[in-house]
């Protein structure tokens, strides 16, 4: 039996490194747009965000794209903040532990790419048609 004493869960920096590794593996046609997005990792989504989205359980949100999708951007837009992909460490770790069928790196990559797809203007329904991850 493996001894888990003294081991800790991956921290925010480690999750960010996993996400950056996933972005580095993107096909060349997606890489330039992905490089323009900020990547941030927090333990949990902020309470205000959960309230705004009508989410009661903070473990339900593993990631979020915040910005204007490329399909809706205009040269007339004045950005008050950069497009950002938010990853939420504790919900990601919780989902990873519950699933038990993927590596943590695979899950972080999936959440990151899912949020990046929103940057490209894809809806959750469009992403689900292409990405059969949850089956």
């Amino acid at each position: 039996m493996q001894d888990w004493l003294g081991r800790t869960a991956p921290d925010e920096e480690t999750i960010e490194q996993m996400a950056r590794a996933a972005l580095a593996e993107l096909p060349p046609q997606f890489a330039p747009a992905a490089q323009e997005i900020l990547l941030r990792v927090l333990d949990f989504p902020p309470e205000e965000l959960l309230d705004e989205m009508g989410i009661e359980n903070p473990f339900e949100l593993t990631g979020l794209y915040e910005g204007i999708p490329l399909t809706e951007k205009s040269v007339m837009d004045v950005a008050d903040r950069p497009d950002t992909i938010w990853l939420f460490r504790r919900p990601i770790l919780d989902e990873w532990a519950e699933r038990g069928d993927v590596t943590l790196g695979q899950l972080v990559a999936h959440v990151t790419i899912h949020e990046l797809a929103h940057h490209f203007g894809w809806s959750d329904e469009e992403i689900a048609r292409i990405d059969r991850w949850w089956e």
Side-chain angles (χ1 to χ4, degrees), residues 5-134:
L5 185 63
R7 293 185 184 227
T8 59
D11 60 11
E12 293 171 3
E13 183 178 325
T14 302
I15 299 294
E16 182 176 339
Q17 289 170 352
M18 290 176 179
R20 291 198 184 284
L23 293 175
E25 296 292 320
L26 287 171
Q29 67 266 33
F30 298 113
Q35 291 173 354
E36 295 177 12
I37 298 177
L38 288 181
L39 181 61
R40 298 289 182 252
V41 182
L42 296 175
D43 261 351
F44 283 104
E47 281 295 322
E48 313 82 60
L49 175 65
L50 294 171
D51 291 344
E52 183 181 308
M53 296 181 76
I55 298 174
E56 291 185 25
N57 182 350
F59 284 95
E60 290 180 16
L61 189 61
T62 55
L64 179 73
Y65 167 70
E66 182 178 54
I68 300 171
L70 293 176
T71 54
E72 299 173 22
K73 282 193 191 274
S74 163
V75 293
M76 302 302 289
D77 287 334
V78 177
D80 61 341
R81 63 188 132 186
D83 293 345
T84 305
I85 291 176
W86 293 93
L87 301 177
F88 304 114
R89 185 183 79 92
R90 293 285 308 279
I92 288 172
L93 292 174
D94 193 62
E95 181 173 326
W96 171 62
E98 284 180 12
R99 287 180 62 89
D101 63 348
V102 296
T103 68
L104 181 57
Q106 289 171 324
L107 181 58
V108 170
H110 172 76
V111 174
T112 303
I113 299 307
H114 180 98
E115 299 310 329
L116 181 63
H118 288 305
H119 175 64
F120 291 119
W122 297 7
S123 68
D124 281 329
E125 294 77 24
E126 290 169 319
I127 296 167
R129 279 197 301 272
I130 294 166
D131 184 0
R132 309 317 263 165
W133 175 267
W134 305 118

